[in-house]
Amino acid sequence: MKKLAALLVLSVVTCAGLFALDLGDIKGTWQDAQWDANWTFSADGAIVLTIASTGETVFTFNDNNVSDFKYNVNMKGASISFYCGDTHRSYTFFKGLSLKTDLDMTVNPDWTDTDYETSIKFKL
């Protein structure tokens, strides 16, 4: 039983760690269909929010405008979170331990207690 638990922990750290340890290692685009938005994690560590239908850049999150950057890996998956003063919102992206490529996204605006929560789909 201890070997199984150790193997499970190793798998969690390996799989989830690939997602959470370095933002620069996360590459790809996820789409929020409800808001016609693409969230692109680029090789340089930036996250670019664009309008999916037009490709117009809405905002680029990077080291210059993001604070409180945190990553977390646990038995449920991995997450990154940060605050952006320019947009007055905090953001969390969570990847559960599954073969699905979706990310759970939570946006928490400063001006309301109501968060926006959705699952964003990976674009090939």
Side-chain angles (χ1 to χ4, degrees):
M1 189 60 146
K2 287 182 181 180
K3 288 181 183 180
L4 179 60
L7 182 59
L8 181 60
V9 169
L10 180 62
S11 297
V12 168
V13 171
T14 302
C15 294
L18 292 174
F19 173 80
L21 290 179
D22 183 3
L23 185 57
D25 290 340
I26 305 169
K27 299 176 188 96
T29 300
W30 283 261
Q31 185 171 43
D32 179 354
Q34 181 175 342
W35 286 98
D36 188 32
N38 282 341
W39 293 86
T40 300
F41 293 77
S42 63
D44 63 2
I47 301 172
V48 181
L49 173 61
T50 58
I51 299 172
S53 58
T54 66
E56 177 186 349
T57 297
V58 176
F59 197 83
T60 300
F61 300 90
N62 57 40
D63 290 338
N64 297 324
N65 57 28
V66 167
S67 62
D68 298 326
F69 182 85
K70 297 175 186 156
Y71 60 87
N72 184 35
V73 178
N74 61 35
M75 296 299 284
K76 294 181 180 181
S79 67
I80 60 170
S81 61
F82 57 88
Y83 178 78
C84 179
D86 292 348
T87 63
H88 305 285
R89 295 170 175 88
S90 61
Y91 301 84
T92 301
F93 297 89
F94 175 79
K95 170 65 175 96
L97 294 178
S98 73
L99 296 177
K100 292 174 50 176
T101 56
D102 300 352
L103 297 178
D104 293 328
M105 179 179 71
T106 302
V107 179
N108 180 353
D110 291 346
W111 61 89
T112 180
D113 290 334
T114 304
D115 294 348
Y116 173 65
E117 296 178 324
T118 191
S119 179
I120 55 179
K121 308 292 183 197
F122 184 70
K123 288 181 61 173
L124 296 178

